[in-house]
Amino acid sequence: MDRVGDWIIMLAAASIMGWWVLRRLDRWLHEPPGSRLRQLAAAGGVEEDDIVRLLREFDYEVLSGKHRIPLRVAVDGQPSMPTRLYFDYLAAKESKYYLVKLDRARQRMEWTASALRERLLVYALMFPDCEGILMVLPQEQQIKIVRFKVEDGEE
């Protein structure tokens, strides 16, 4: 009799686990695009400063500021090493999201295609629901929008 009872308990536990996994999978599959960005927007606060005012002058709504994304890197099976990826603000305009990076004096942006790719492509790949990356040039009081597009075909 103990064996039948053990099987019933095992089947009940497996059923509950299966139901939970299917529910999580269904929720993940039906998650709307941009939900990760909305979570970031809800998580961060915004302090009023010159950059926020500049973004508002250009009709951007600043949703949150100063984000740090923790990453781990492993090479050839060695223990993984921690690192971080930073962006300054998350903004929206006309229901489209934009990551905001500042052009800092100590690390000026080089405006060539290869330099933009090396420095900003990671953000576009991590947040594909973003419309683009806003580069704020505080000294010039300018905002430039950087977008990446994968071209079809070979050269």
Side-chain angles (χ1 to χ4, degrees), residues 73-87:
V73 179
V75 179
D76 288 336
Q78 298 294 318
S80 63
M81 301 170 281
T83 187
R84 287 167 227 66
L85 188 64
Y86 296 95
F87 63 94

Side-chain angles (χ1 to χ4, degrees), residues 45-57 62 64-66 88-89 100 102 104 136 138 141:
V46 179
E47 293 182 21
E48 189 72 24
D49 61 8
D50 293 337
I51 304 301
V52 172
R53 283 188 285 280
L54 180 64
L55 286 164
R56 288 190 179 137
E57 282 179 31
V62 180
S64 62
K66 309 295 182 198
D88 297 297
Y89 298 97
V100 179
L102 298 180
R104 292 184 164 78
V136 177
Q141 295 290 298

Side-chain angles (χ1 to χ4, degrees), residues 56-67:
R56 288 190 179 137
E57 282 179 31
F58 282 84
D59 297 324
Y60 290 97
E61 177 189 357
V62 180
L63 303 173
S64 62
K66 309 295 182 198
H67 288 282

Side-chain angles (χ1 to χ4, degrees), residues 77-154:
Q78 298 294 318
S80 63
M81 301 170 281
T83 187
R84 287 167 227 66
L85 188 64
Y86 296 95
F87 63 94
D88 297 297
Y89 298 97
L90 180 62
K93 184 177 186 178
E94 299 171 359
S95 301
K96 295 177 182 172
Y97 291 102
Y98 297 88
L99 297 181
V100 179
K101 290 285 292 172
L102 298 180
D103 188 29
R104 292 184 164 78
R106 69 176 189 278
Q107 194 177 17
R108 300 293 303 198
M109 176 61 76
E110 186 179 326
W111 294 100
T112 63
S114 60
L116 290 168
R117 179 196 67 224
E118 293 297 320
R119 198 144 154 216
L120 299 177
L121 181 61
V122 65
Y123 297 101
L125 294 174
M126 285 191 73
F127 299 98
D129 298 325
C130 276
E131 182 66 21
I133 299 154
L134 300 177
M135 283 299 301
V136 177
L137 296 94
Q139 296 83 3
E140 294 88 4
Q141 295 290 298
Q142 289 183 339
I143 296 176
K144 296 186 179 193
I145 301 173
V146 179
R147 293 181 178 98
F148 293 95
K149 180 180 182 281
V150 178
E151 292 184 353
D152 295 332
E154 297 178 21

